[in-house]
Amino acid sequence: MADEFVIESRTAEHITVRHVARGHRYTFYVSEHDDVRTLRVGPAQPNAKASLPSAAFQTAARAFAEHEARKADLID
């Protein structure tokens, strides 16, 4: 999984990851509710030329983003 995605950008408010092989981009926003920080799904930027749709990688993109966000102490 780690080699499928790279971090495009990361701030205290969001993290954007890109699928290396297909070029789809996924943005996730940091959300705080009851003093717990989590990621919520934001917009996907699909690569129109990719052979598979962006939805096929959404779950893996979120797992990667959550892992990286935890490492960066953006979420709990």
Side-chain angles (χ1 to χ4, degrees):
M1 173 178 63
D3 58 344
E4 283 187 279
F5 296 93
V6 294
I7 297 172
E8 287 271 304
S9 66
R10 179 179 56 211
T11 68
E13 293 85 26
H14 82 279
I15 184 167
T16 300
V17 300
R18 178 177 49 85
H19 188 270
V20 174
R22 303 287 195 268
H24 302 305
R25 288 180 174 80
Y26 307 86
T27 299
F28 301 91
Y29 294 101
V30 176
S31 177
E32 188 167 344
H33 183 64
D34 294 333
D35 294 328
V36 176
R37 296 172 298 164
T38 59
L39 287 185
R40 62 181 170 86
V41 177
Q45 296 174 309
N47 177 4
K49 296 179 183 178
S51 59
L52 291 172
S54 62
F57 305 100
Q58 181 76 37
T59 301
R62 184 181 185 123
F64 177 78
E66 285 179 345
H67 176 76
E68 294 298 318
R70 277 192 187 89
K71 282 183 7 184
D73 200 32
L74 295 178
I75 62 173
D76 300 321

